[in-house]
Amino acid sequence: MKKNYITSRSNDKIKYVSKLVSSSKQRNSDGLFVCEGLRLCCDASKSGYDVSELYITEDAFLKNGDRIAECFSSSDVYIITDEIADKLSDTVNSQGIFAVVKMPAKKDFALEKGKYYVLLENVQNPQNTGAASRTAEALGIDALITVGGCDIYNPKLLRASMGSVLRIPVFGCESVSDILNQANGKGIFTFVTVPDRSAEDITKADFSQGALAVIGNEANGVSDEAKKCSSAALTIKMNGEAESLNASTAAVITMWEMMR
């Protein structure tokens, strides 16, 4: 494996990778994103993603040489200084390893009756989407759908997901009504989750034939458009003075009820 060395924080390659880390616009324009940390970088490679470049400190390379050789034999490898790693890092304590990864080609998406889907509508916090994707993988949700909201290749989201968004089907769509109408037309039970005590208790719903659940924005909940197009409004019954749940918590409970 050929190693190249970069020692300057002002190197053009370093400036570009730093831009990919910080800018959703840059990522989407170039079809590239950055993974940070050994596990996440290796997850990308093992999940079939094309890792074009690896940036790693000398210490990290010496500690993880076998895994680096296994996962990144076809990648361009750049040895960087600790100072450069700090520049690129989106964490407090960097592991000193960064992978530049190509986004997969977009695939056609068609819902199937009998399967289970979660749609995140305008969920803005990357940690909420990351946590939801991690639970979706663990519980066996067939696909995660996003409408608006944060970029799924946001570094914070990738870390919060523990690589789940690289392993499960994730589809970005423009219109919540298009997805819900498609699901309704195929006989898939669709529902929105709402903090409304008068709505149907989610524990009483029948998910045995598959379903599509809509989780709404952290501040405003699901849109009127989603409510209008869905089959039902379900709620997670709460005790005490609690009026609502965090979006990721609501998503986790909803998926558990769907799949149990």
Side-chain angles (χ1 to χ4, degrees), residues 97-216:
I97 175 170
F98 310 85
V100 177
V101 186
K102 293 182 181 179
M103 294 181 186
K106 290 187 178 181
K107 300 178 181 178
D108 292 334
F109 174 53
L111 299 169
E112 297 180 43
K113 188 173 182 179
K115 293 193 174 183
Y116 296 85
Y117 305 95
V118 171
L119 189 157
L120 303 179
E121 184 188 26
N122 296 318
V123 173
Q124 300 295 326
N125 188 322
Q127 293 179 334
N128 285 337
T129 299
S133 68
R134 188 176 176 185
T135 302
E137 180 184 29
L139 296 182
I141 295 294
D142 290 292
L144 192 67
I145 305 166
T146 62
V147 174
C150 60
D151 171 9
I152 66 165
Y153 297 113
N154 179 293
K156 291 181 174 60
L157 191 157
L158 290 168
R159 288 198 306 278
S161 79
M162 296 293 287
S164 288
V165 293
L166 303 178
R167 295 187 293 266
I168 65 171
V170 180
F171 297 94
C173 299
E174 297 294 327
S175 168
V176 67
S177 61
D178 286 349
I179 292 296
L180 288 171
N181 288 334
Q182 180 187 148
N184 293 330
K186 294 188 176 184
I188 300 171
F189 175 57
T190 59
F191 68 95
V192 293
T193 53
V194 295
D196 183 346
R197 294 177 189 271
S198 65
E200 181 183 353
D201 186 343
I202 195 171
T203 63
K204 303 296 194 299
D206 179 8
F207 302 117
S208 61
Q209 302 302 310
L212 187 155
V214 181
I215 307 296

Side-chain angles (χ1 to χ4, degrees), residues 52 60 87 197:
S52 60
K87 176 182 176 68
R197 294 177 189 271

